[in-house]
Amino acid sequence: MPFTLHERLAADTLPVVDLDLCRVLLMKDRRYPWLILVPRREGLRDFDEVRPEDKHAFYEEIERVSEILREETAAEKMNVAALGNMVPQLHVHIIARFAHDAAWPGPVWGVGEAEPYGPGEAEALLGRLRERLGN
Amino acid sequence: MPFTLHERLAADTLPVVDLDLCRVLLMKDRRYPWLILVPRREGLRDFDEVRPEDKHAFYEEIERVSEILREETAAEKMNVAALGNMVPQLHVHIIARFAHDAAWPGPVWGVGEAEPYGPGEAEALLGRLRERLGN
């Protein structure tokens, strides 16, 4: 079955790159460097439902994206979460957190309104991420 | 180095069982069936910092605990998250969610006050979890 990104995820993000398993997305919210990984498989909802043959790639990609985002942003803490109460398609949030950010030390969800990136503003981060994650 | 559970985690939870890698804890909050996994290793903060020789157990235990908690509670959605902005010791939240719960569809953190279990109230769930997770 072909993979279709959930419309809410498509609307809220910019595409970064496709890894072997996951599509990597950047949230349109300049308050946090915030990536989302979506396994390109139909019908997954929960974190433990990834198929055995995909598990290695799934965890390796989470680790790699988390490490690279931390390094590129000098984050103080990484948040990794699969919630999916609103968007049922399995997606993993990987968020670089800072003691001065808008939600610290709480979680980022439901805090204020997303602040879109200005023209060209996300390009530097997108470029560095694509360079480091590109297959 | 011996493993010491962070005092905040110790205060907020009841012990369930020790798996090969992780200690499993039950949050003292009857609003949600809410487990926490803590790898019994010193010095870990972020999800991607688990040592290579522990990774298999780490992910396998997350999956197993999530599956069992879903089955035991008939949860509609599982939330899996490593945040750690307040408690730096690496710990993974595994939370059974329901469309009627106190925070749905938002995340559980920072919503209202924890409601402690009454006397004996957590014992049935603890007993079932220990039976299914016991080594």
Side-chain angles (χ1 to χ4, degrees):
Chain A
M1 194 161 25
F3 167 76
T4 306
L5 185 65
H6 189 285
E7 60 185 10
R8 171 80 178 268
L9 291 175
D12 289 348
T13 66
L14 301 166
V16 181
V17 70
D18 275 6
L19 303 176
D20 285 346
L21 177 65
C22 293
R23 180 158 298 172
V24 184
L25 306 165
L26 175 68
M27 276 288 280
K28 293 177 183 171
D29 188 345
R30 63 192 295 282
R31 298 174 301 166
Y32 321 96
W34 180 347
L35 299 177
I36 294 179
L37 266 62
V38 186
R40 300 199 306 283
R41 299 286 186 261
E42 285 297 316
L44 298 177
R45 287 185 75 227
D46 276 350
F47 193 82
D48 58 280
E49 291 175 347
V50 174
R51 294 185 298 199
E53 63 268 30
D54 288 331
K55 283 185 196 297
H56 177 79
F58 181 57
Y59 294 128
E60 192 273 334
E61 291 176 5
I62 292 172
E63 293 167 19
R64 184 151 52 106
V65 169
S66 179
E67 287 174 16
I68 288 174
L69 187 62
R70 183 200 295 110
E71 291 174 10
E72 290 295 333
T73 64
E76 293 161 34
K77 185 77 186 72
M78 300 306 297
N79 289 175
V80 174
L83 305 179
N85 305 330
M86 301 195 196
V87 172
Q89 183 174 57
L90 176 61
H91 59 287
V92 180
H93 301 270
I94 299 182
I95 311 159
R97 302 298 309 275
F98 300 88
H100 63 263
D101 74 30
W104 186 268
V108 300
W109 303 276
V111 174
E113 298 290 322
E115 293 179 11
Y117 287 98
E121 198 183 10
E123 295 311 315
L125 178 59
L126 281 170
R128 295 201 307 276
L129 291 171
R130 285 178 185 139
E131 187 174 334
R132 296 198 58 184
L133 288 167
N135 287 332
Chain B
M1 193 160 29
F3 166 76
T4 306
L5 186 65
H6 189 284
E7 59 185 10
R8 172 81 177 268
L9 291 175
D12 290 347
T13 66
L14 302 166
V16 181
V17 71
D18 275 6
L19 303 177
D20 284 345
L21 177 64
C22 293
R23 180 158 297 170
V24 184
L25 306 165
L26 175 68
M27 277 287 278
K28 293 177 182 171
D29 189 344
R30 62 193 294 283
R31 298 175 301 166
Y32 320 97
W34 180 347
L35 299 176
I36 293 179
L37 266 62
V38 186
R40 300 198 306 283
R41 300 285 185 263
E42 285 296 317
L44 297 177
R45 288 184 74 228
D46 276 350
F47 194 81
D48 58 281
E49 291 175 348
V50 174
R51 294 185 299 198
E53 63 268 29
D54 288 331
K55 282 185 197 295
H56 177 80
F58 181 57
Y59 296 128
E60 191 273 333
E61 291 176 4
I62 291 172
E63 293 168 18
R64 184 151 51 106
V65 169
S66 179
E67 286 174 16
I68 288 173
L69 187 60
R70 183 201 295 110
E71 290 174 11
E72 290 295 333
T73 64
E76 292 161 35
K77 184 75 187 74
M78 301 305 296
N79 289 175
V80 174
L83 305 179
N85 306 329
M86 301 194 195
V87 171
Q89 183 175 57
L90 177 62
H91 59 288
V92 180
H93 301 270
I94 299 182
I95 311 159
R97 302 298 309 274
F98 301 87
H100 62 263
D101 73 32
W104 187 267
V108 300
W109 303 276
V111 174
E113 297 290 323
E115 294 179 12
Y117 287 97
E121 197 183 12
E123 295 312 314
L125 178 59
L126 281 170
R128 295 201 308 275
L129 291 170
R130 285 179 185 137
E131 186 174 332
R132 294 199 57 184
L133 288 167
N135 287 331

